[in-house]
Amino acid sequence: MIKVKNLTHYYNNDKALENINLEINKGEFVCLVGESGSGKSTLLSIVSTLLKPTKGELFFENLNYKNIKDIDDFRKTNIGFIFQFHYLINYLTVKENIKIANEKATDNEIYNLLKILRIDNLSNKYPNEISGGQRQRVAIARALINKPKVIIADEPTGNLDSKNSLNVFEIFKKLSQEQVTIIVATHDKNLANFATKIYEVKDGKIN
Ligand code: ADP
Ligand code: ADP
C-alpha cells in the first residue's frame, strides 16, 4: 500500500535519513522505534506528504506521490494524524473538535466513534474538563472521522501513563485488524510489541 524507495533526506547539509526502503501492506501495524533524533519524525512527515524528501520515490497504492495533483486533498482524505500533544482546541467541545476535521460528519457518526473509544459521555465537555487519556482518545477520534486508510502517529503516548498508553496501542491494534494501516513512532519498545512489524531507525538508517 505504501512504498518508500531509496529515500534520503537532508536538512540543509545535515543528513537526517539515508537510503530508506520500506513496503507497508494494507492493515499492517508498523512501529518505528529508535532514539530521539534518529529520524522517525522526519520519515513520518515524508510518508504523510507533509515534507518533501531530498531524494527518493514514494508510492501510495502504486500512485507516485509526485503525480498527486491536490496533495492537501489527498492527505485529508487518506491519512489521519495523531501527535504526542493532542492539539485539541480548548474553546471547542469534544464534539466540535472532531467536527472541524470533517464538517460533513453527522452527530450520529461522531457519537458512534466516541462510543467505540469509550468517551461517548464526554461529547459536550471541553478539553480541560477531561483527563489526558481521554484527550488523546478524542485526538484519535478526530483522526478517524474521515475514515482514513492510514493512521500516522508520532509518539502518541509520549504524554500518557502506562495504562493509557496500552489503551492507545490496543485501539491501534483493533483498527489494523479492520484493515486500517497504522504507522507509529515510539521510543517504547514494550509498546512496539503490539505491532505486526517493527523497524529500528538508527542514525537515519533502517537495517
Ligand atoms: P526523531 O523523530 O527520531 O526524534 P527527527 O526526525 O526529529 O528524529 O530528527 C532527525 C534529525 O534531523 C535530527 O538530527 C534532528 O536534529 C534533525 N531535524 C529534524 N527536524 C529538523 C528541522 N526542521 N530542521 C533541521 N534539522 C532537523
Ligand atoms: P483515563 O484513564 O480515562 O485517562 P484517569 O485515570 O486519568 O482516566 O482519570 C479517571 C477519571 O478522573 C476520568 O474518568 C476523568 O473523568 C477524571 N479525570 C481525570 N483527570 C481529570 C482532569 N484533569 N479533569 C477532569 N477530570 C479528570
Side-chain angles (χ1 to χ4, degrees):
M1 167 172 221
I2 292 174
K3 206 192 289 182
V4 176
K5 265 177 92 177
N6 305 327
L7 172 71
T8 293
H9 192 73
Y10 286 86
Y11 290 106
N12 302 315
N13 290 319
D14 297 326
K15 199 186 276 178
L17 291 174
E18 184 176 350
N19 200 30
I20 303 282
N21 288 281
L22 289 178
E23 272 191 51
I24 298 172
N25 296 321
K26 188 174 165 68
E28 214 166 7
F29 182 174
V30 171
C31 260
L32 304 176
V33 297
E35 284 171 21
S36 177
S38 58
K40 304 183 297 295
S41 295
T42 303
L43 181 54
L44 290 184
S45 303
I46 292 171
V47 168
S48 61
T49 75
L50 291 167
L51 180 67
K52 217 175 149 190
T54 312
K55 252 184 3 205
E57 304 282 325
L58 285 112
F59 300 87
F60 187 95
E61 292 176 337
N62 292 322
L63 175 65
N64 193 319
Y65 279 24
K66 285 176 184 159
N67 298 330
I68 298 171
K69 289 212 175 66
D70 189 342
I71 202 88
D72 293 328
D73 180 66
F74 167 82
R75 194 187 307 122
K76 201 174 167 193
T77 48
N78 290 292
I79 302 172
F81 297 95
I82 301 160
F83 302 96
Q84 175 172 357
F85 300 101
H86 43 76
Y87 300 114
L88 299 179
I89 297 170
N90 279 319
Y91 57 83
L92 297 179
T93 64
V94 164
K95 189 166 84 181
E96 291 163 348
N97 263 288
I98 295 166
K99 190 106 183 166
I100 52 160
N102 183 346
E103 297 279 330
K104 288 185 204 134
T106 64
D107 281 2
N108 213 21
E109 282 170 331
I110 293 174
Y111 179 76
N112 285 336
L113 197 47
L114 292 178
K115 201 163 172 190
I116 291 166
L117 296 165
R118 292 182 289 109
I119 46 174
D120 46 310
N121 56 328
L122 305 178
S123 70
N124 293 316
K125 298 254 188 216
Y126 289 88
N128 64 5
E129 295 176 317
I130 63 179
S131 72
Q134 292 166 336
R135 282 195 283 264
Q136 195 59 311
R137 274 179 274 159
V138 176
I140 294 173
R142 185 183 50 188
L144 289 174
I145 194 65
N146 285 309
K147 300 193 179 71
K149 293 178 182 167
V150 181
I151 287 280
I152 292 187
D154 195 356
E155 294 286 354
T157 62
N159 220 11
L160 300 179
D161 61 22
S162 55
K163 186 188 97 192
N164 280 304
S165 298
L166 273 175
N167 184 254
V168 166
F169 272 67
E170 279 162 3
I171 292 166
F172 288 159
K173 188 167 183 177
K174 220 179 264 170
L175 287 167
S176 77
Q177 287 162 350
E178 288 161 22
Q179 295 304 301
V180 180
T181 306
I182 311 282
I183 310 173
V184 186
T186 180
H187 61 264
D188 188 324
K189 290 197 171 171
N190 287 326
L191 289 175
N193 287 325
F194 274 89
T196 52
K197 213 183 247 175
I198 300 173
Y199 291 107
E200 184 156 4
V201 187
K202 207 173 168 190
D203 299 328
K205 290 184 221 158
I206 292 177
N207 289 317

